[in-house]
Amino acid sequence: MAAKKKNKDSKAWMIPEGETRATATHHFVARKSLSMIREGKKLKMRKYHPGKREHVWFVETKMPPHNQ
Protein backbone atom coordinates (compact mmCIF):
# COMPACT_ATOMS: atom_id res chain seq x y z
CA MET A 1 0.00 0.00 0.00
CA ALA A 2 1.35 3.42 -0.97
CA ALA A 3 1.77 6.11 1.64
CA LYS A 4 -0.64 9.04 1.49
CA LYS A 5 0.64 12.44 0.46
CA LYS A 6 0.66 14.87 3.38
CA ASN A 7 -1.57 17.85 2.74
CA LYS A 8 0.45 21.03 3.18
CA ASP A 9 -2.52 23.33 2.56
CA SER A 10 -4.19 25.19 5.38
CA LYS A 11 -7.79 26.19 6.01
CA ALA A 12 -8.95 29.81 6.00
CA TRP A 13 -12.16 31.12 7.59
CA MET A 14 -13.88 33.49 5.12
CA ILE A 15 -16.48 36.11 6.13
CA PRO A 16 -18.08 38.99 4.16
CA GLU A 17 -15.93 42.10 3.90
CA GLY A 18 -16.89 44.78 6.41
CA GLU A 19 -18.27 42.32 8.97
CA THR A 20 -16.61 40.91 12.08
CA ARG A 21 -16.40 37.28 13.07
CA ALA A 22 -18.97 37.84 15.84
CA THR A 23 -21.52 39.49 13.54
CA ALA A 24 -20.89 37.54 10.33
CA THR A 25 -24.15 36.48 8.69
CA HIS A 26 -22.52 33.81 6.51
CA HIS A 27 -19.10 32.14 6.34
CA PHE A 28 -17.27 29.37 4.53
CA VAL A 29 -13.91 27.63 4.77
CA ALA A 30 -11.40 27.82 1.89
CA ARG A 31 -8.06 26.16 1.29
CA LYS A 32 -4.92 28.28 1.42
CA SER A 33 -1.80 27.01 -0.37
CA LEU A 34 1.58 26.64 1.29
CA SER A 35 3.11 29.32 -0.96
CA MET A 36 0.48 31.86 0.16
CA ILE A 37 1.19 31.00 3.80
CA ARG A 38 4.94 31.50 3.32
CA GLU A 39 4.44 34.86 1.60
CA GLY A 40 1.94 36.02 4.24
CA LYS A 41 -0.82 36.71 1.73
CA LYS A 42 -4.48 36.98 2.79
CA LEU A 43 -7.26 35.41 0.74
CA LYS A 44 -9.96 37.61 -0.79
CA MET A 45 -12.68 36.04 -2.95
CA ARG A 46 -15.90 37.20 -4.54
CA LYS A 47 -18.56 34.60 -3.74
CA TYR A 48 -22.34 34.32 -3.52
CA HIS A 49 -23.92 35.37 -0.20
CA PRO A 50 -27.26 33.55 0.19
CA GLY A 51 -28.57 35.97 2.84
CA LYS A 52 -28.08 39.01 0.62
CA ARG A 53 -28.78 37.06 -2.59
CA GLU A 54 -25.83 38.63 -4.40
CA HIS A 55 -22.09 38.21 -4.89
CA VAL A 56 -19.94 39.98 -2.29
CA TRP A 57 -16.24 40.05 -1.35
CA PHE A 58 -15.20 37.59 1.36
CA VAL A 59 -11.95 38.10 3.31
CA GLU A 60 -9.86 35.76 5.44
CA THR A 61 -10.02 35.98 9.23
CA LYS A 62 -8.77 33.88 12.13
CA MET A 63 -10.35 30.48 12.62
CA PRO A 64 -12.74 30.34 15.60
CA PRO A 65 -11.58 28.59 18.76
CA HIS A 66 -12.37 24.88 19.08
CA ASN A 67 -13.87 25.17 22.57
CA GLN A 68 -17.15 26.84 21.56
Side-chain angles (χ1 to χ4, degrees):
M1 182 189 287
K4 278 188 161 181
K5 177 188 156 208
K6 288 187 179 179
N7 190 357
K8 301 291 183 185
D9 292 348
S10 174
K11 293 178 183 170
W13 191 264
M14 306 291 286
I15 62 168
E17 192 172 42
E19 296 184 18
T20 63
R21 234 180 13 171
T23 63
T25 55
H26 182 70
H27 75 274
F28 70 95
V29 178
R31 287 205 162 286
K32 191 171 179 181
S33 67
L34 187 60
S35 61
M36 286 186 77
I37 296 168
R38 278 192 211 126
E39 294 169 9
K41 291 183 179 178
K42 294 270 186 176
L43 281 177
K44 185 175 181 179
M45 305 173 131
R46 190 166 169 84
K47 302 226 10 141
Y48 183 75
H49 189 303
K52 295 180 180 178
R53 300 171 102 187
E54 63 182 1
H55 283 81
V56 295
W57 285 102
F58 281 80
V59 292
E60 176 185 352
T61 60
K62 285 175 50 178
M63 290 291 274
H66 293 289
N67 58 1
Q68 283 187 355

